[in-house]
Amino acid sequence: MASSTVTSAIRGAILVLALVVFLGNIMMWIIMPTDTYYNDWLLHILADTNSTFFGIQGPIMLDFTFPILFIAVLGCLYLHLGKRRSSFIQSKRIENLKFIRRPMIVKGLGIVNLTELALFTMFISLCVWYFADYVRHWYKQVPVRSMTRGEKVWQTKLDRVAIVTGVTGNLCLTFLFYPVTRGSSILPMLGLTSEASIKYHIWLGNLAMSLFTAHGFLYILYWSITNRLSEMLKWGDHYVSNIAGEISLLCGLALWITTYPTIRRRMFELFFYTHYLYIFFIIFFILHIGIGFTCIMLPGFYLFIIDRYLRFLQSREKVRLVSARVLPCETIELNFSKSRGLKYNPTSTVFINVPTISKLQWHPFTITSSSNLEPERLSVVIKCEGSWTQKLYDIISSPSSIDRLQVSVEGPYGPASTHFLRHDVLVMISGGSGITPFISIIRELLFISSTLKCKTPRIMLISVFKNSSHLSILDLILPTSGTPSNSGNLDLQIEAYVTREKGQSKDKLQSPRTIWFKPDASDAPISPTLGPNSWLWLAAIISSSFIIYLVLLGVFTQYVVYPIDQNTNKLYSYTKKGSMNMLFICFSIMIAASAAFLWNKKQNAKEAKQIQDMEESVTSRSSNSSFHHDDVEMESLPLQSTIKSINVHYGQRPNLKRILSEIKDSSVGALVSGPKRMRQDVAAICSSGLADNLHFESISFTW
């Protein structure tokens, strides 16, 4: 108990320190466009940090890059200490903050809570302040600049507005990569996941590209009216490079256009492949504005590169696909072998690549298994809802199914903790494929109630399907193995709604079919990788890679840049300096991450060999036994041992308002996973004030 108290105190201190550093960083953003910064602060910063090792880039990194990387390292320590606690938090203190989590529907933003709306409003206010004060500051230069250039005052003002628009876009770009850094330590420290934060990435991306597009348009307009369109073809080697900026903008526009919802849904592959243009967008963005100013947005992208390279290293591994279950509703369950050391929380996701279908495409799927209930298995459910999933289904379900399927996996990624135990009742509302995250929650609660002997909430699962063939998905609620004998402790009621059929079909539904694979000796179990499964290693990678980068940068600046530039930032080529910095960053991250990954891979190799030997032994015994038959029999066991009742309603949809209002328990968790309309309906019910005991939570799902 004393150890837990000390750990909580340390975690609290880490959070306070991270908050103080972050507020200091935000203060720098607020003060940066003011006269106080340029006429006082900047002069003192440059004088106190004048160095031949880093030049003017040094103070910028000290003010904007280092604080965020320091927060990321603190986040790793915070999350590492948190791993000692139960991932299911039963605290009632969150109830006191219910009002800030109450959902509301805002046009253009979707479902948001008060906290998100407040933070969004503050960020927009920061952008407005940043824009307005920079305009005010740079308008003071207009009289001198207009005389020097021989142009009218309003034309010079247009030039200043154009540059401020781009600078404000850089503010949005600074935060753009945090939500898509899947192995981030910053997001889970805030109680967020990458999947749930995608909407922030969308908001920031739309805002950034709107500002960058306006920036480009205003400059083209400015050059046109001042008869200087030739400026578009200039590559300034000691200042802003216009050509690089135009290439960056074109890449960004191509990427931005394909994010339009209709294009993304109907031509997902086009959306997917054009998103790789972010690489060229960033490269030419750095060459456009120079590495010095880039250091302002560098920390988010730096953490993203670390995460992306670690994912690349993990994706080179071929994993052991043990079996698959084929359901009659064009749905398959894939079962992978995993090491016992790999832990993840309910609603986590993995990204899957099947090279025989596409070597480049990675698709996210929600994990349905529990790492506690099934310590050696990781399962995902995949439904045919696109060309990639259709090809995968055809390969596995064909009568002449293959013995082995080559698969690579990234992840898992998910929440650092969950709060489901704090409720008296959990109402899980799913539409179609939205049931998958609830399967993982139910399996975890099953483990808690039967193994840990903890009290679990009463569960009502409301599932809406189009036709009765999809009812077979309910067979996946329990795993084929590892179900505790006393699983009846879990109070689970299922209300299934089949909307497109008036009654039970006379045709007997096909039973799920199990297919067993023969993994290759080179296929490895899914093992803990760095990041979410080893926060201390991630902290070491962030710290060591940045130190290596600083050493390389210092040597380069001291012996190559300084003899030419003399810290004027005007004589040495911006292009060469930016290119070398990008090279140093990539090299530093590759060295630090590769060393850590290979060391951990060596540590996991022994366990992987043991798992492989055990599986081969079981497979060889099963050829002369009823092993497969026993497993099939286990699939057909009645779910009533765990599920109190299953009611199937045909030709109707659930009256969610009535169902939720009739539950009188003091704390009811209303979890919804499904179509946008369903999520908005449940959010509206929970925010209406008709029932104060309802706590809304939208669950992200992929399948």
Side-chain angles (χ1 to χ4, degrees), residues 282-447:
I282 291 296
I283 289 174
F284 285 100
F285 177 83
I286 294 173
L287 298 179
H288 172 56
I289 65 174
I291 189 62
F293 198 69
T294 302
C295 288
I296 295 176
M297 56 75 60
L298 180 61
F301 191 62
Y302 191 92
L303 295 173
F304 175 79
I305 296 175
I306 291 177
D307 176 69
R308 189 66 190 87
Y309 185 64
L310 288 173
R311 284 157 45 198
F312 168 78
L313 292 175
Q314 186 190 17
S315 68
R316 298 305 92 194
E317 299 279 335
K318 305 304 176 187
V319 299
R320 296 179 68 84
L321 176 61
V322 179
S323 66
R325 280 201 284 180
V326 182
L327 304 183
C329 55
E330 291 195 323
T331 300
I332 54 176
E333 179 191 52
L334 300 182
N335 298 297
F336 299 93
S337 173
K338 84 170 188 69
S339 68
R340 286 180 170 268
L342 177 62
K343 299 294 184 181
Y344 49 85
N345 286 321
T347 71
S348 295
T349 61
V350 292
F351 286 74
I352 293 178
N353 170 261
V354 182
T356 54
I357 300 177
S358 172
K359 293 183 178 181
L360 293 178
Q361 289 191 37
W362 290 80
H363 291 260
F365 298 100
T366 302
I367 300 174
T368 55
S369 56
S370 163
S371 60
N372 292 313
L373 191 62
E374 305 149 275
E376 296 176 353
R377 288 287 182 272
L378 185 149
S379 304
V380 297
V381 175
I382 301 174
K383 181 174 174 56
C384 295
E385 291 189 341
S387 59
W388 189 91
T389 51
Q390 183 65 56
K391 291 176 183 177
L392 178 62
Y393 179 83
D394 292 340
I395 291 173
I396 293 178
S397 64
S398 63
S400 57
S401 57
I402 57 177
D403 291 334
R404 174 181 178 265
L405 185 64
Q406 184 175 315
V407 181
S408 297
V409 168
E410 286 183 8
Y413 307 105
S417 61
T418 52
H419 305 276
F420 303 128
L421 289 182
R422 77 177 190 265
H423 299 298
D424 300 311
V425 180
L426 287 178
V427 181
M428 302 177 180
I429 305 166
S430 68
S433 54
I435 192 175
T436 50
F438 296 148
I439 294 175
S440 66
I441 296 173
I442 292 172
R443 291 189 184 185
E444 187 72 11
L445 291 173
L446 181 61
F447 168 80

Side-chain angles (χ1 to χ4, degrees), residues 181-195:
T181 305
R182 297 173 192 164
S184 167
S185 60
I186 294 178
L187 292 178
M189 185 169 58
L190 299 174
L192 299 172
T193 64
S194 178
E195 291 73 24

Side-chain angles (χ1 to χ4, degrees), residues 513-550:
R513 179 166 61 95
T514 300
I515 299 170
W516 294 90
F517 298 104
K518 299 177 182 178
D520 192 82
S522 61
D523 295 339
I526 303 176
S527 301
T529 187
L530 305 179
N533 287 283
S534 186
W535 293 114
L536 289 183
W537 275 107
L538 181 59
I541 291 172
I542 295 172
S543 305
S544 59
S545 64
F546 191 61
I547 291 172
I548 294 172
Y549 167 61
L550 290 178

Side-chain angles (χ1 to χ4, degrees), residues 392-593:
L392 178 62
Y393 179 83
D394 292 340
I395 291 173
I396 293 178
S397 64
S398 63
S400 57
S401 57
I402 57 177
D403 291 334
R404 174 181 178 265
L405 185 64
Q406 184 175 315
V407 181
S408 297
V409 168
E410 286 183 8
Y413 307 105
S417 61
T418 52
H419 305 276
F420 303 128
L421 289 182
R422 77 177 190 265
H423 299 298
D424 300 311
V425 180
L426 287 178
V427 181
M428 302 177 180
I429 305 166
S430 68
S433 54
I435 192 175
T436 50
F438 296 148
I439 294 175
S440 66
I441 296 173
I442 292 172
R443 291 189 184 185
E444 187 72 11
L445 291 173
L446 181 61
F447 168 80
I448 291 174
S449 66
S450 59
T451 306
L452 302 182
K453 307 300 182 182
C454 293
K455 182 183 178 182
T456 55
R458 178 165 59 87
I459 302 173
M460 176 184 289
L461 175 62
I462 302 173
S463 296
V464 182
F465 302 110
K466 291 181 180 179
N467 52 63
S468 56
S469 66
H470 289 85
L471 293 173
S472 59
I473 297 175
L474 298 177
D475 291 335
L476 304 179
I477 290 179
L478 295 184
T480 57
S481 60
T483 306
S485 57
N486 58 340
S487 58
N489 295 335
L490 191 67
D491 189 350
L492 172 60
Q493 176 184 350
I494 296 180
E495 302 289 336
Y497 291 80
V498 181
T499 59
R500 295 188 179 180
E501 295 180 7
K502 298 299 182 181
Q504 186 173 0
S505 175
K506 296 180 180 179
D507 298 330
K508 185 178 180 181
L509 289 177
Q510 298 178 358
S511 299
R513 179 166 61 95
T514 300
I515 299 170
W516 294 90
F517 298 104
K518 299 177 182 178
D520 192 82
S522 61
D523 295 339
I526 303 176
S527 301
T529 187
L530 305 179
N533 287 283
S534 186
W535 293 114
L536 289 183
W537 275 107
L538 181 59
I541 291 172
I542 295 172
S543 305
S544 59
S545 64
F546 191 61
I547 291 172
I548 294 172
Y549 167 61
L550 290 178
V551 171
L552 293 174
L553 177 62
V555 172
F556 174 71
T557 306
Q558 173 72 24
Y559 297 104
V560 179
V561 178
Y562 182 75
I564 298 174
D565 191 74
Q566 297 293 314
N567 273 358
T568 62
N569 202 38
K570 296 178 180 180
L571 302 178
Y572 193 82
S573 169
Y574 270 38
T575 303
K576 292 180 182 178
K577 190 188 296 185
S579 300
M580 292 304 296
N581 270 267
M582 287 187 278
L583 180 63
F584 293 153
I585 290 172
C586 294
F587 177 80
S588 303
I589 291 173
M590 287 178 62
I591 292 296

